[in-house]
Amino acid sequence: MAVETELKLSIPAGAVARLRRHPLLAGIKPQRQRLANTYYDTPALDLKRRRIALRHRQTAWGQLLTVKSAEPAAGGLAQRSEWEAPSLPGAFDFSHVDDRRLRAQLEELTPSLQPVFATDFLRTTWLLEPAPGVRIEMALDRGAVRCELDGGVREDPICEIELELLEGAPSSLFDVARALQADLPLRPEIASKAERGFRLFQQTPQQPARAGRSPVVPGMRPQAAFVAVALDCIGQLQRNEAGARAGDDPEFVHQARVAIRRLRSALRLWAPLLPPGFRAAFSPRWRDLAQLLGQARNLDVFVTETLPPMQAVFAETPALGRLAHLAERRRQHWHREIRAAFEAPEFAAQVLSFTAALYALRPDV
């Protein structure tokens, strides 16, 4: 078993040419290959439910069978267990999976496995050695996630960068990412290709992400507990900011605000145990974002929950109609402000820098 540590960043298609000319890549000859992947699961999506991704990958050198765990990511960084071995097309031999329980589960489900979706993209890779003892493979993937359904083929475009750590500390990934982000409009991305594929297959739009069970477990050291909670909050924030940028569903704004409130509470609670200046370095921007989200949330509640019963009772009162019109205008204004704040380079930089600072606090990385 290998543990894959990678940092994913989305990049606009219009910025790809600038990426190729970036000084960080100067003098490094890129390698290119087309990767066609078919992902499998049972009709009941048992693997998805167990956070397992299973795929066949067609490369220029033959087929690979890959099994990946799908632990949640935050701030763009994911650390996942991976088992990969040569394979024949359509064959499922899990003898290379050294986790006995997982192998038994996969073998039990094998008769029910079927193709679910596919990805097809051109991968351009550069091998970076930014410091002694550090090796990072940077991959630019451009293509699409595809799913064949009764109504035809659904697609979701792929245009992203993956920084995979080959040697060194995970902090090196953040150093490279921030060097790129200083010149390019890159955003930390937490949705894997598999997650996007399942969303297409199930034909479900992105849903607001609510806080789940606490990531704190018995025996955790206080600083490790803070990091776990803060990363959980960042993950919730990222999933909801994507929804808030894409549409007007007020629940995305509400859940993004919940994530920020949880994060700010954690920063206050653990402040005595954090390095000097840690809270001061990040809290002001989280506070400003919280205030912005609060403005929009208050108007969402007023327009959608407070006003309708009043209008039902006082339907003949003209002033209420004018008030509703004014409130809706203000509500739309704050939603535009939120979209602008989430789309701003400063927000992406804050997420990346804060996540890097959190991983620097972890004793195991």
Side-chain angles (χ1 to χ4, degrees), residues 45 54 108 110 200 204 210 227 257 271 318 347:
L45 301 183
L54 172 63
E108 180 184 356
T110 295
L200 282 180
T204 55
R210 293 167 173 78
V227 172
R257 185 184 181 215
F347 174 77

Short mmCIF file of all heavy atoms in Angstrom, two decimals, residues 45 54 108 110 200 204 210 227 257 271 318 347:
data_model
loop_
_atom_site.label_atom_id
_atom_site.label_comp_id
_atom_site.label_asym_id
_atom_site.label_seq_id
_atom_site.Cartn_x
_atom_site.Cartn_y
_atom_site.Cartn_z
N LEU A 45 -24.06 1.29 -5.30
CA LEU A 45 -22.94 2.18 -4.97
C LEU A 45 -22.34 1.86 -3.60
O LEU A 45 -22.06 2.73 -2.78
CB LEU A 45 -23.38 3.65 -5.03
CG LEU A 45 -23.95 4.14 -6.37
CD1 LEU A 45 -24.27 5.62 -6.31
CD2 LEU A 45 -22.98 3.85 -7.52
N LEU A 54 -12.64 2.75 -7.25
CA LEU A 54 -12.06 1.63 -7.99
C LEU A 54 -12.08 1.97 -9.47
O LEU A 54 -13.14 2.32 -10.02
CB LEU A 54 -12.89 0.36 -7.74
CG LEU A 54 -12.54 -0.87 -8.58
CD1 LEU A 54 -11.12 -1.34 -8.30
CD2 LEU A 54 -13.55 -1.99 -8.34
N GLU A 108 -15.87 -9.78 -2.45
CA GLU A 108 -17.28 -10.11 -2.26
C GLU A 108 -18.16 -9.33 -3.24
O GLU A 108 -19.18 -9.85 -3.74
CB GLU A 108 -17.69 -9.79 -0.82
CG GLU A 108 -19.15 -10.09 -0.51
CD GLU A 108 -19.54 -9.68 0.90
OE1 GLU A 108 -18.66 -9.24 1.67
OE2 GLU A 108 -20.74 -9.79 1.23
N THR A 110 -17.20 -8.13 -6.21
CA THR A 110 -16.75 -8.25 -7.61
C THR A 110 -17.85 -8.67 -8.58
O THR A 110 -17.99 -8.07 -9.67
CB THR A 110 -15.56 -9.21 -7.71
OG1 THR A 110 -14.44 -8.64 -7.01
CG2 THR A 110 -15.16 -9.45 -9.15
N LEU A 200 -22.37 13.20 -11.36
CA LEU A 200 -22.98 13.09 -12.69
C LEU A 200 -23.86 11.85 -12.79
O LEU A 200 -24.97 11.91 -13.32
CB LEU A 200 -21.88 13.02 -13.76
CG LEU A 200 -21.18 14.30 -14.18
CD1 LEU A 200 -20.14 14.00 -15.25
CD2 LEU A 200 -22.17 15.34 -14.69
N THR A 204 -27.30 14.48 -9.38
CA THR A 204 -27.63 15.30 -8.22
C THR A 204 -26.80 16.57 -8.24
O THR A 204 -25.58 16.51 -8.41
CB THR A 204 -27.36 14.55 -6.91
OG1 THR A 204 -26.00 14.09 -6.91
CG2 THR A 204 -28.27 13.36 -6.75
N ARG A 210 -23.26 20.30 5.47
CA ARG A 210 -23.49 20.59 6.89
C ARG A 210 -22.39 19.98 7.74
O ARG A 210 -21.70 19.05 7.32
CB ARG A 210 -24.86 20.05 7.31
CG ARG A 210 -26.02 20.78 6.64
CD ARG A 210 -27.34 20.09 6.79
NE ARG A 210 -28.43 20.91 6.29
CZ ARG A 210 -28.73 21.06 5.00
NH1 ARG A 210 -28.02 20.42 4.09
NH2 ARG A 210 -29.72 21.84 4.61
N VAL A 227 -6.28 21.13 15.05
CA VAL A 227 -6.03 20.99 13.61
C VAL A 227 -7.15 20.19 12.95
O VAL A 227 -7.65 20.56 11.87
CB VAL A 227 -4.67 20.32 13.35
CG1 VAL A 227 -4.49 19.99 11.87
CG2 VAL A 227 -3.53 21.23 13.82
N ARG A 257 -21.56 30.17 6.58
CA ARG A 257 -21.49 30.97 7.81
C ARG A 257 -21.30 30.06 9.03
O ARG A 257 -20.53 30.39 9.95
CB ARG A 257 -22.77 31.79 7.96
CG ARG A 257 -22.75 32.75 9.14
CD ARG A 257 -24.08 33.45 9.26
NE ARG A 257 -24.06 34.40 10.37
CZ ARG A 257 -25.12 34.67 11.14
NH1 ARG A 257 -26.25 34.02 10.94
NH2 ARG A 257 -25.04 35.55 12.11
N ALA A 271 -6.76 29.25 21.45
CA ALA A 271 -5.78 30.33 21.31
C ALA A 271 -4.59 30.20 22.26
O ALA A 271 -3.43 30.40 21.84
CB ALA A 271 -6.45 31.69 21.50
N PRO A 318 -49.80 48.37 1.44
CA PRO A 318 -48.81 48.68 0.39
C PRO A 318 -47.40 48.79 0.94
O PRO A 318 -46.44 48.45 0.25
CB PRO A 318 -49.30 50.04 -0.15
CG PRO A 318 -50.75 50.10 0.21
CD PRO A 318 -50.88 49.38 1.51
N PHE A 347 -9.29 35.28 -1.19
CA PHE A 347 -9.94 34.17 -0.48
C PHE A 347 -9.20 32.87 -0.75
O PHE A 347 -8.91 32.10 0.19
CB PHE A 347 -11.40 34.03 -0.92
CG PHE A 347 -12.07 32.82 -0.33
CD1 PHE A 347 -12.48 32.80 0.99
CD2 PHE A 347 -12.27 31.67 -1.11
CE1 PHE A 347 -13.08 31.67 1.54
CE2 PHE A 347 -12.87 30.54 -0.57
CZ PHE A 347 -13.27 30.55 0.76
#
